[in-house]
Amino acid sequence: MTGEVDAGDGALKLRSQFIHLLTTRRSPQVPLTLEPGKPVAEPMYQETPKPLFSEAMESCPKANIPNFKELLKEENFYLTTEEGEQGRLPVLILSMEESIPQKRPAIVFLHSTNKCKEWLRPLLEAYASRGYIAVAIDSRYHGERASSLTTYRESLVSAWKKGDTMPFIFDTVWDLIKLADYLSQREDIDPSRIGITGESLGGMHSWFAAAADTRYSVVVPIIGVQGFRWATDNDEWLPRVNSIKAVFEEAQIDLNKSAIDKEVVEKVWDRIAPGLASEFDSPYTVPIISPRPLLILNGEEDPRCPLAGLDIPKQKTVEAYENACCPDNFKVIAEPEIKHQMTASMVKEASDWFDKYLKV
């Protein structure tokens, strides 16, 4: 019993420290307000060629509803999460029109690097068809929060130079806390049944949002959970660094280095996401998601999220769930022969997990 209390106290303390960090780089706070929006005609993708189709997302289980398009309700709006341009959070929600109002489960979906909320539409429609309220946002410097093909890259470089923002993961986590404020107040959402999931960068967003905010009651990060300290200690940092290389190249120049090395990597993480490779790394933040149902989906050969880097976080998380007397609420699935890719199998596993724990 003492161990359970200590674990709870530790989780509260770490969560408090993390939220404090988030508040240190915020613009002045404003009331949470909603501004109506419109469907985005030309979604912003910060990659070329523009992605057109995701076989994995299209494979998501969908209810067979003959007049689905007529019954599908779409909401586009903006939430104000703080002052300034990036404090305007674009939100897309899909749900089914219902004759009898009732509180339903909701799931927040988060896109990968350089994509946007509209990319997630196949998932949103599939989950909406099955009775969920399906929610997607544009993460910081993406989608409607981007003005060019280089907005996200420039935001990372600026964070390194100025140290005033946290565009890699943490600033979007702040938005997700504010989004939980909004979703938990809606009359059509059961506040005890709000799930969260995402792919790659979105997987990291869902991991940290769930660590920070217990209102996310069921959690499925996809190809996003990794050990940042493990990667630097074991020289396995290059694939992750290459995914946002511009900021590390800038740091290399500023630090008078002939190449990007371990020191450059450590200094960049400390600057743009303080604590990412130390007190807020996966061995500490993943276990505090306990006792909420948590499914981690990765590829067995993913170079950005190496499985060996999950050994310690997995062990600590298993212990946390065992101490909470709900070991079945935690599961890790590593798909054989898969690198950094979300597969149809992962989409199905996520769908089954949400149906198991969010459906009444």
Side-chain angles (χ1 to χ4, degrees):
M1 192 64 140
T2 306
E4 289 182 40
V5 173
D6 290 344
D9 289 347
L12 286 172
K13 183 178 180 182
L14 186 61
R15 191 168 289 122
S16 174
Q17 290 170 340
F18 182 60
I19 292 173
H20 174 73
L21 168 68
L22 298 184
T23 64
T24 62
R25 297 191 187 181
R26 302 270 68 80
S27 65
Q29 295 306 291
V30 292
L32 188 68
T33 55
L34 187 150
E35 173 192 340
K38 296 179 180 178
V40 177
E42 292 290 334
M44 167 67 78
Y45 293 94
Q46 295 180 67
E47 57 189 56
T48 51
K50 176 182 172 181
L52 299 174
F53 177 78
S54 166
E55 185 177 345
M57 287 196 290
E58 293 287 351
S59 73
C60 189
K62 191 173 184 178
N64 184 16
I65 301 173
N67 55 340
F68 175 71
K69 292 295 183 184
E70 289 75 28
L71 292 174
L72 186 66
K73 183 170 78 171
E74 177 172 340
E75 301 170 61
N76 291 273
F77 58 89
Y78 305 92
L79 286 180
T80 305
T81 63
E82 62 180 303
E83 278 190 359
E85 183 182 328
Q86 289 297 320
R88 192 168 180 257
L89 174 66
V91 183
L92 167 63
I93 298 181
L94 296 186
S95 60
M96 301 303 290
E97 295 279 5
E98 291 200 342
S99 54
I100 302 173
Q102 58 179 315
K103 288 188 178 291
R104 287 176 278 172
I107 302 176
V108 176
F109 298 84
L110 298 151
H111 60 77
S112 54
T113 303
N114 295 331
K115 293 188 172 66
C116 57
K117 62 187 184 302
E118 286 74 26
W119 175 249
L120 299 166
R121 191 174 186 98
L123 290 178
L124 303 182
E125 290 191 0
Y127 276 84
S129 76
R130 296 181 1 236
Y132 291 96
I133 293 177
V135 184
I137 67 165
D138 287 326
S139 63
R140 296 273 175 138
Y141 308 97
H142 285 78
E144 293 185 78
R145 304 166 102 175
S147 56
S148 75
L149 291 174
T150 58
T151 296
Y152 180 50
R153 186 171 69 199
E154 290 165 0
S155 75
L156 295 165
V157 172
S158 175
W160 163 255
K161 295 284 192 185
K162 300 177 183 177
D164 58 348
T165 58
M166 297 182 288
F168 185 64
I169 308 177
F170 291 174
D171 283 342
T172 297
V173 173
W174 176 262
D175 294 328
L176 290 166
I177 292 172
K178 294 296 183 179
L179 179 66
D181 289 342
Y182 166 76
L183 296 176
S184 59
Q185 295 169 7
R186 279 180 61 124
E187 292 185 357
D188 57 350
I189 290 177
D190 180 346
S192 69
R193 291 188 292 155
I194 301 176
I196 191 166
T197 185
E199 174 191 3
S200 192
L201 176 64
M204 291 186 265
H205 286 146
S206 61
W207 150 24
F208 279 98
D213 196 325
T214 58
R215 289 174 295 184
Y216 290 112
S217 60
V218 182
V219 189
V220 186
I222 302 174
I223 61 171
V225 181
Q226 61 213 87
F228 285 91
R229 169 52 54 188
W230 180 92
T232 53
D233 287 347
N234 291 274
D235 290 324
E236 295 282 354
W237 45 263
L238 188 59
R240 169 56 60 202
V241 164
N242 282 341
S243 70
I244 49 171
K245 196 171 184 180
V247 63
F248 293 94
E249 291 175 329
E250 198 73 24
Q252 173 198 330
I253 295 168
D254 291 347
L255 295 169
N256 295 313
K257 294 276 190 170
S258 59
I260 298 172
D261 60 15
K262 178 180 175 179
E263 183 187 359
V264 172
V265 174
E266 289 176 335
K267 287 186 179 298
V268 169
W269 291 146
D270 285 345
R271 183 78 162 165
I272 72 170
L276 182 65
S278 51
E279 65 263 39
F280 303 129
D281 200 359
S282 55
Y284 313 107
T285 46
V286 174
I288 69 171
I289 295 174
S290 168
R292 292 164 286 157
L294 168 63
L295 172 64
I296 296 175
L297 296 166
N298 274 20
E300 206 170 73
E301 299 176 13
D302 190 337
R304 295 188 193 176
C305 304
L307 276 190
L310 287 185
D311 286 347
I312 294 175
K314 181 180 176 181
Q315 178 187 334
K316 290 189 173 185
T317 305
V318 165
E319 291 172 2
Y321 279 82
E322 286 177 347
N323 289 339
C325 301
C326 54
D328 292 344
N329 279 12
F330 174 58
K331 190 175 182 181
V332 177
I333 299 176
E335 191 169 338
E337 300 180 6
I338 296 297
K339 295 185 178 179
H340 194 69
Q341 172 193 356
M342 182 175 76
T343 66
S345 174
M346 294 176 188
V347 169
K348 179 65 164 59
E349 291 284 0
S351 174
D352 290 346
W353 191 262
F354 282 124
D355 281 354
K356 179 179 180 179
Y357 289 104
L358 283 183
K359 284 289 183 94
V360 173

